[in-house]
Amino acid sequence: MSPVKRIVLFFLLYTLFFLPGVLLFCQEVIISGDEEIISTDDEEFIIGGDDGEVFIIMDDDSAGTSGEQADKPQEILITAQAEPEDPRSVSSQVSIIGEAEIAAAAPRSAADIVAPVMGVQVDRYGGASEPAVVSIRGSSPEQVLVLVNGKRLNSAQGGGVDLATINPDDIERVEVVRGGASALYGENAMGGVINIITRDGTGEGFSASAHGSYGSFNTVTLDGQIQGSSADNSFDYFLSCAGLFTEGDYTFTDEGSEDGEAERENAGGKKIALSGKTGFSPHDTLHFSLSGQVHMDKKGVPGVIEFPSESAGMEDTRYLTLLSASTDTAPGELVLDLSWVNQKRHYYDPDFYSGPVDDSHNNNAFSGDLNLKRRDVFGPVSAETVGGYAFRWDYLVSTALLRSAATEEASGKVSRFQHSGFLRSQINIGFGSGSGSGSGVTLFPALRYDWNNIIYEDDGLDKITSAFSYNLGLLLPLGEQEKVSVKANFGTAYRVPSFDDLFWPSSSFAIGNPALEPEESLAVDLGLLITPFPGMMIEAVVFDQEVKNLIQWNPGPTGQWRPGNVGAARLAGCELEVRGLLDLPMIQSILELKGNGSYLYPVDLTEGSVNYGMILSRKTMVRINGSGTLTHADEHFFRLEGRYVGSRFITARNTKSLDPYFVLDLTGNYQINEEWNLLLSIRNLLNVEYVDMREYPVPGIDLTLEAGFKL
Amino acid sequence: MNMFKVDRSAGLLGGLRDFLLLLFCTFILTSCPEGTRVAAVRTFDYDREVFIINGLAETISVVNPETLVIHNDVSLTGRSPNQLLNIDNKIYVVNSLDNGITILDESTLAVEGEIDLGPGKGPWMIIPVPDSTVAYVTNSIAGTVSVIDLANQTVAGEISVGIGPQGGCYLDGKVYICNTNYSAGLEGMGYNEGTVSVIDINVDLAANPVETISVEPESFDLELKNGSNPQAAIAFPEKNEVHIILTGRNGGDNADDGAVLVLDVSAGADYAVKGRLAVGGSPGWSGGGLDEGRKIVYLTGVGGLQSYNYETLEILHRSGSGDDGYILTGMNTATDFYSGVAYDPIEDQLFVTFFSSDTILVLDGEDYHVEKELQGSDGPQNPVLFVE
């Protein structure tokens, strides 16, 4: 079946069968009267009314239905980094996971939060302590840009970001942008962007909370947070700490072994995370914020690196500091960000078969952004423009590089300097009587130029690359009440070869390739966003991306793997998501239903390759997620979440594939009183055996009982 | 704020219906077969066949040497197949990442059995003992050799040898194992002293430890980590010689240090070195590159094929260009990797697996011109000629 037919079939089936039913049970009614408001960030649930009915109020003025239009101008996404995104106000195809949704999923890391997002694939290497990397629209993990408060976590060394190292208790919301856009975000943003916004203390007064849990595989978690703000909100703070300790080992089916079962040993680990964020506004137009995070873990390595022994281990440490200052005076705003990210990895295997291994990699990244915003209005046309400059200095010291150089003068250091200039705008052209943001067509042009200088002194290499990126987005609301919006994007993206790609130390297994050029892509997408009434959202997108200079590691002479710019690929597909709310007044509860599916057709277009026309390996073509969350007025909730992951080829020749799987997770929260709650979480309720990555079985049923206290 | 109230009259039945329909859609979508690219049934059978492992596709291809018709991906192998061998009309495939050996019926290609060597072995090669049901399997990761019983498809024992054992051969009651001795560890990456372990299969190993021979020149300097990297061995019973293929530094730093060490294994010779053939490059040996009529050994590797006369120990083709340079030279000598060669004496042809381009080159056995280029599968290697 051709890719076009598959995409059409996917859309037809879902739109014909799935959408009408959801539309039926979500009906629009206006309410008024004295009700009790219960919570959440995205929406507020009002319990009571005239006869105990349940109502849903969207805490957003831009929903635009039967209610009044917003009076104040909506906050405009323009930095493409730290500010909150609203899918209805930007052209980007973006999914937002709010604090309530995060809490209901009872995540152990950021990986659990993004796993159900449309178009996202999370590949787990095992249990709670093992790495989990992310792919968006069939990208590699390195082609996904991961930001924390707008600052990138991707190191220049490469390998993608391990989402299992990000503490979920610190997260206020996660924004997942699907599709490449280096003009907005810089390098790495080929498949998409994950922006993690950490919590702060604004508007909370003083509050504190703590949780403790115990679960399968002798897993223990402990965490605590305090947050608060001054009466006038000119000062706020948030502090948290969290720890996870797991024995980790588990059994799995192994058809190759004599008894058909094997033990996944050396899968234990521990994590500790500390986080703080504070904001200070000495004046209405001046704001400072300072945030810092520390992550430390130590885990066994039951197979991340080829052929480890059972005593192999890895320690990851990350320090992140961000200082931001902004001043907002008409007609514009000035924002200055400075950040430092230090990421260390210590890998050791004292019993490695070809001799003990003990390597350390120390990555430092210093970066700064200067953004100057300007707002202009010319009759029906309003524009908000950001121009700026950014720099980044990545610096790696690696014992592996040092040993590879094998000279006394070697330093084992690699560095990369990047200077960037960017200009992006949001131009709204009002129709009829309307003007300004929120009505009419909005264009999102963006340009960016990046200059990179990579220096590897031990090898005498001084390499300069540059990239010019562009992007054009379109947001076109249709109809009087803007219930339907058309969103479209067209632009380029790229990824600079990582230090590992370029300088992997020569061994009998692999060697880097300093001659590599950046990967490049050209992407286009077209989407419909339908909000027939508040609480109901339908999103449908088709996309197409062509990638060239794809960096692929292939075996070369005598089995030594080496990367090369040999690949070209096309990744086309479609995505569909439906969200709706169902009133259950007889039990004073609300049922939130969410379903999404994505279909990907990733085809290898490498000229001259025997695999030309084959499906790219390790790409999941069909993913379907669904969840139902029943929330009671007393804050009890019950959530059932299912995830279907289709089969994936694991050889480029498409001769072998991993089996599809369906995993069901269940979470139940019982609110004992205003302070105490009990939460039961059962991951993989059906005890399905599955693998995301070949050789790395994921544990079966995983039960956790958690007690929480808040003040 | 915009407000709305849910209409309670819209029932749960609608939601239930849609959930069921969603499941139906899911079934329809996901049940669309991608189309297997591996033949389920063997539809051909020839008297003589060249079997080829496709290391990246993890499959087997078959070539008819008379018609030069190729059948790609006719059967699946295990993970990281490294060697294919025919013993008594059965095909044995060594699957390195599976730590096991798959046994296929030669005529049907049906899997007849598996031998599990246990975790952490990294099996590399099978060395059968003629006229017996015993074979020795080198375990490159474990640093051991597994003794397997082919009749019962079981592991009979395990013998410690050196670090990184790969190739080997059997000759006159002894098994010769090449230990590459590569170090990736703290004391510096590189090849340490290459050795050959000699296992006497007729003695009690508890009382007679495995003998170890260094294959390095006397000038070998351990600090430099420039060991000779012995990767394979070829037995010549009529000459009482074992030829050790020294791959050198695998092309690292543009190394041109490949060689063949000729050991005299006659009784009392004490493994004396009869010659050292400096063929250069990074030579390898895949098992089938022997022209017994012309007394030529063909070595695989980067940049082209090398060869020498095993009777006279004369180098015929060494690294580089020119009349005595690489066979197939003229292509990209930096990256082109010829992973295996099999000689067919009936057609006087060489079947060369060109790993880098996923093709099989058919060369004339006399002047080495390319007679035909066959499109192979992904990562062809280790061609072996089978004759029924």
Side-chain angles (χ1 to χ4, degrees):
Chain A
M1 187 180 294
S2 73
V4 174
K5 285 181 180 174
R6 282 175 176 272
I7 292 169
V8 170
L9 172 68
F10 185 93
F11 260 117
L12 281 178
L13 289 172
Y14 275 80
T15 49
L16 285 176
F17 294 110
F18 188 49
L19 296 186
V22 178
L23 289 168
L24 273 177
F25 69 71
C26 297
Q27 302 292 325
E28 175 185 354
V29 180
I30 304 297
I31 64 162
S32 61
D34 298 327
E35 294 88 14
E36 177 190 354
I37 298 175
I38 56 172
S39 73
T40 90
D41 53 345
D42 297 333
E43 56 256 336
E44 292 178 340
F45 300 157
I46 297 185
I47 308 298
D50 296 335
D51 51 2
E53 294 168 314
V54 179
F55 310 108
I56 300 94
I57 298 178
M58 296 300 290
D59 188 19
D60 191 320
D61 291 327
S62 63
T65 60
S66 58
E68 69 280 15
Q69 284 289 335
D71 293 325
K72 68 170 186 175
Q74 187 187 340
E75 184 67 24
I76 301 170
L77 171 81
I78 204 73
T79 66
Q81 291 184 351
E83 296 177 7
E85 289 196 359
D86 182 334
R88 293 159 296 190
S89 66
V90 294
S91 65
S92 305
Q93 314 294 350
V94 60
S95 300
I96 299 175
I97 308 106
E99 202 165 3
E101 195 172 345
I102 292 171
R108 278 205 180 121
S109 74
D112 293 335
I113 297 171
V114 301
V117 173
M118 179 165 60
V120 171
Q121 175 181 333
V122 171
D123 291 326
R124 299 166 201 278
Y125 284 82
S129 66
E130 299 305 323
V133 294
V134 66
S135 161
I136 300 178
R137 289 183 176 173
S139 70
S140 70
E142 290 180 316
Q143 292 170 343
V144 176
L145 177 63
V146 179
L147 308 170
V148 171
N149 296 324
K151 294 298 154 193
R152 60 174 57 220
L153 282 189
N154 301 62
S155 76
Q157 188 179 1
V161 174
D162 177 8
L163 294 181
T165 64
I166 300 174
N167 176 23
D169 301 315
D170 297 339
I171 299 175
E172 179 179 294
R173 72 173 186 281
V174 178
E175 301 166 354
V176 180
V177 179
R178 306 184 304 281
S182 285
L184 293 168
Y185 304 98
E187 68 143 334
N188 292 100
M190 291 181 71
V193 181
I194 295 175
N195 190 15
I196 296 166
I197 310 300
T198 61
R199 294 164 65 183
D200 58 31
T202 54
E204 294 285 347
F206 173 80
S207 65
S209 61
H211 304 84
S213 76
Y214 177 78
S216 304
F217 317 114
N218 280 331
T219 303
V220 176
T221 66
L222 294 167
D223 69 82
Q225 301 86 31
I226 61 170
Q227 59 196 92
S229 61
S230 61
D232 61 355
N233 256 333
S234 63
F235 172 72
D236 65 84
Y237 59 91
F238 171 81
L239 293 170
S240 84
C241 63
L244 181 148
F245 312 89
T246 182
E247 198 171 90
D249 296 358
Y250 51 93
T251 57
F252 64 96
T253 299
D254 182 4
E255 293 174 355
S257 64
E258 284 185 359
D259 55 2
E261 195 172 77
E263 176 87 7
R264 194 66 169 167
E265 296 176 335
N266 194 28
K270 54 189 175 185
K271 303 179 191 177
I272 295 174
L274 304 170
S275 177
K277 193 173 183 181
T278 182
F280 176 55
S281 299
H283 187 270
D284 287 347
T285 60
L286 187 61
H287 183 74
F288 296 98
S289 72
L290 177 67
S291 62
Q293 290 183 349
V294 178
H295 166 88
M296 291 181 281
D297 70 39
K298 182 176 183 180
K299 57 210 170 207
V301 181
V304 170
I305 304 203
E306 247 182 315
F307 313 129
S309 73
E310 289 182 3
S311 51
M314 195 152 66
E315 297 170 9
D316 281 317
T317 307
R318 182 176 62 239
Y319 302 94
L320 186 153
T321 306
L322 170 63
L323 174 65
S324 179
S326 63
T327 175
D328 189 0
T329 54
E333 182 180 355
L334 187 66
V335 180
L336 174 66
D337 289 341
L338 295 171
S339 71
W340 169 62
V341 183
N342 174 249
Q343 301 186 74
K344 292 176 184 159
R345 168 160 291 181
H346 176 207
Y347 176 77
Y348 51 91
D349 188 352
D351 299 319
F352 190 54
Y353 79 98
S354 70
V357 176
D358 193 325
D359 274 323
S360 295
H361 313 279
N362 188 351
N363 281 278
N364 281 285
F366 301 91
S367 67
D369 296 77
L370 183 64
N371 293 266
L372 181 61
K373 293 183 186 179
R374 179 179 171 88
R375 302 182 189 93
D376 295 290
V377 178
F378 307 99
V381 178
S382 66
E384 180 161 320
T385 306
V386 175
Y389 161 79
F391 77 90
R392 182 177 167 95
W393 178 36
D394 285 281
Y395 182 81
L396 166 67
V397 180
S398 166
T399 56
L401 290 173
L402 194 61
R403 280 188 292 106
S404 177
T407 62
E408 290 184 2
E409 298 77 24
S411 63
K413 297 176 184 173
V414 190
S415 61
R416 188 174 84 189
F417 298 89
Q418 185 179 74
H419 299 276
S420 308
F422 51 86
L423 186 67
R424 49 182 177 258
S425 188
Q426 175 174 329
I427 303 167
N428 181 263
I429 305 167
F431 291 156
S433 59
S435 66
S437 177
S439 62
V441 61
T442 308
L443 299 173
F444 297 80
L447 300 171
R448 182 179 175 112
Y449 180 78
D450 294 315
W451 180 89
N452 288 284
N453 184 196
I454 299 169
I455 298 172
Y456 183 23
E457 292 176 359
D458 296 342
D459 209 24
L461 185 135
D462 189 335
K463 181 174 182 171
I464 293 175
T465 64
S466 62
F468 174 73
S469 307
Y470 60 88
N471 194 77
L472 179 62
L474 168 76
L475 176 66
L476 177 62
L478 301 176
E480 283 293 312
Q481 297 178 332
E482 301 172 2
K483 289 184 176 181
V484 178
S485 296
V486 176
K487 301 168 72 164
N489 299 278
F490 175 77
T492 58
Y494 79 104
R495 179 178 80 87
V496 175
S498 68
F499 290 163
D500 281 349
D501 291 330
L502 295 164
F503 311 118
W504 186 275
S506 176
S507 70
S508 66
F509 302 122
I511 184 171
N513 180 2
L516 289 173
E517 295 297 320
E519 295 178 329
E520 298 171 354
S521 73
L522 178 66
V524 60
D525 63 37
L526 176 65
L528 278 179
L529 188 63
I530 307 168
T531 51
F533 33 79
M536 175 79 189
M537 185 180 287
I538 303 162
E539 189 175 359
V541 183
V542 291
F543 62 88
D544 193 0
Q545 183 183 34
E546 292 194 2
V547 184
K548 66 177 185 177
N549 284 342
L550 201 61
I551 295 173
Q552 292 180 335
W553 285 72
N554 287 312
T558 54
Q560 198 178 31
W561 289 67
R562 184 181 176 93
N565 289 111
V566 295
R570 181 178 182 186
L571 299 99
C574 57
E575 299 155 340
L576 182 70
E577 179 165 286
V578 181
R579 305 179 72 148
L581 296 161
L582 180 63
D583 171 25
L584 299 172
M586 66 292 287
I587 55 174
Q588 291 203 338
S589 299
I590 296 167
L591 177 62
E592 181 176 8
L593 294 173
K594 176 181 174 184
N596 66 57
S598 53
Y599 176 75
L600 176 72
Y601 188 76
V603 61
D604 188 338
L605 296 179
T606 306
E607 291 289 346
S609 167
V610 69
N611 300 319
Y612 184 91
M614 301 281 177
I615 302 295
L616 292 174
S617 63
R618 298 186 294 277
K619 311 295 184 193
T620 304
M621 297 178 70
V622 176
R623 290 183 59 89
I624 297 171
N625 303 298
S627 66
T629 307
L630 185 70
T631 305
H632 188 267
D634 292 334
E635 296 188 44
H636 313 304
F637 67 79
F638 176 86
R639 177 186 174 92
L640 199 59
E641 180 175 319
R643 186 170 72 253
Y644 173 83
V645 178
S647 63
R648 291 139 288 163
F649 288 114
I650 50 176
T651 59
R653 183 67 175 166
N654 295 177
T655 51
K656 290 184 175 179
S657 61
L658 295 179
D659 291 335
Y661 64 84
F662 177 72
V663 175
L664 204 56
D665 297 338
L666 181 150
T667 312
N669 179 65
Y670 178 69
Q671 198 68 34
I672 301 169
N673 53 40
E674 287 189 356
E675 286 84 28
W676 289 92
N677 76 299
L678 274 178
L679 187 142
L680 174 70
S681 165
I682 307 176
R683 293 177 177 80
N684 197 353
L685 182 66
L686 305 178
N687 199 23
V688 175
E689 288 204 347
Y690 69 99
V691 291
D692 286 325
M693 306 288 287
R694 195 181 195 188
E695 325 292 340
Y696 302 93
V698 177
I701 189 167
D702 182 354
L703 188 146
T704 303
L705 184 63
E706 178 186 289
F709 173 80
K710 64 180 178 182
L711 186 64
Chain B
M1 286 189 176
N2 301 303
M3 308 174 188
F4 80 102
K5 179 179 73 173
V6 175
D7 181 358
R8 66 176 68 161
S9 64
L12 281 169
L13 287 177
L16 180 62
R17 184 202 70 177
D18 290 305
F19 178 70
L20 293 174
L21 286 171
L22 177 65
L23 288 181
F24 170 71
C25 296
T26 303
F27 172 76
I28 294 293
L29 275 170
T30 56
S31 61
C32 297
E34 281 304 323
T36 176
R37 300 182 199 284
V38 178
V41 179
R42 176 169 167 139
T43 56
F44 56 90
D45 195 13
Y46 307 120
D47 293 338
R48 293 184 306 120
E49 297 170 318
V50 177
F51 279 71
I52 296 165
I53 289 176
N54 302 303
L56 301 181
E58 299 184 346
T59 59
I60 295 170
S61 294
V62 179
V63 179
N64 181 339
E66 292 178 11
T67 62
L68 298 184
V69 170
I70 187 168
H71 303 265
N72 282 318
D73 305 322
V74 295
S75 179
L76 289 175
T77 69
R79 294 174 292 182
S80 292
N82 202 59
Q83 191 207 11
L84 183 149
L85 197 62
N86 172 233
I87 308 172
D88 296 336
N89 289 325
K90 288 185 173 27
I91 296 172
Y92 292 80
V93 181
V94 180
N95 302 306
S96 292
L97 270 181
D98 280 341
N99 294 308
I101 295 163
T102 307
I103 303 159
L104 308 173
D105 180 89
E106 191 272 337
S107 58
T108 65
L109 294 178
V111 175
E112 286 198 340
E114 302 270 352
I115 301 175
D116 178 24
L117 301 171
K121 295 291 189 293
W124 194 271
M125 182 179 184
I126 298 181
I127 305 161
V129 175
D131 304 321
S132 80
T133 60
V134 175
Y136 291 76
V137 181
T138 57
N139 296 318
S140 63
I141 291 177
T144 62
V145 171
S146 293
V147 185
I148 58 173
D149 183 335
L150 298 175
N152 298 320
Q153 300 179 1
T154 55
V155 178
E158 191 169 353
I159 303 165
S160 290
V161 289
I163 294 173
Q166 292 191 356
C169 65
Y170 169 86
L171 179 60
D172 196 19
K174 291 180 179 177
V175 177
Y176 297 83
I177 305 294
C178 295
N179 304 305
T180 55
N181 205 357
Y182 177 78
S183 171
L186 293 168
E187 296 172 358
M189 289 183 181
Y191 292 97
N192 293 299
E193 182 182 19
T195 61
V196 171
S197 297
V198 184
I199 302 170
D200 189 335
I201 66 170
N202 298 311
V203 301
D204 179 6
L205 290 175
N208 300 278
V210 173
E211 197 172 356
T212 302
I213 309 164
S214 174
V215 293
E216 301 294 350
E218 290 180 358
S219 59
F220 173 69
D221 185 347
L222 185 65
E223 294 297 317
L224 292 176
K225 303 280 183 192
N226 288 342
S228 57
N229 185 16
Q231 289 198 356
I234 315 170
F236 294 95
E238 67 280 10
K239 298 181 68 183
N240 270 323
E241 287 177 0
V242 169
H243 294 195
I244 308 296
I245 311 303
L246 307 174
T247 305
R249 282 169 288 165
N250 268 355
D253 304 324
N254 297 315
D256 191 26
D257 53 356
V260 178
L261 194 69
V262 180
L263 298 180
D264 185 349
V265 297
S266 308
D270 201 22
Y271 310 113
V273 176
K274 291 177 70 175
R276 188 182 183 94
L277 310 181
V279 295
S282 302
W285 165 253
S286 68
L290 198 63
D291 180 349
E292 294 188 50
R294 298 185 180 91
K295 311 292 184 190
I296 296 175
V297 171
Y298 294 99
L299 302 173
T300 60
V302 186
L305 301 180
Q306 295 150 292
S307 70
Y308 67 93
N309 185 307
Y310 64 79
E311 195 68 44
T312 63
L313 300 184
E314 177 192 3
I315 299 173
L316 303 175
H317 295 89
R318 64 184 77 232
S319 63
S321 56
D323 290 342
D324 66 344
Y326 282 126
I327 300 170
L328 293 174
T329 191
M331 300 187 185
N332 189 337
T333 56
T335 59
D336 286 356
F337 176 37
Y338 302 93
S339 53
V341 57
Y343 178 71
D344 174 16
I346 304 295
E347 302 291 335
D348 193 18
Q349 289 173 329
L350 290 168
F351 290 84
V352 181
T353 48
F354 191 2
F355 192 96
S356 313
S357 70
D358 300 318
T359 56
I360 289 86
L361 304 176
V362 185
L363 272 59
D364 181 87
E366 180 68 36
D367 61 10
Y368 309 124
H369 77 271
V370 179
E371 292 186 342
K372 193 164 186 179
E373 185 173 357
L374 307 174
Q375 180 62 65
S377 184
D378 202 4
Q381 63 190 65
N382 193 242
V384 179
L385 178 69
F386 283 10
V387 180
E388 278 196 4

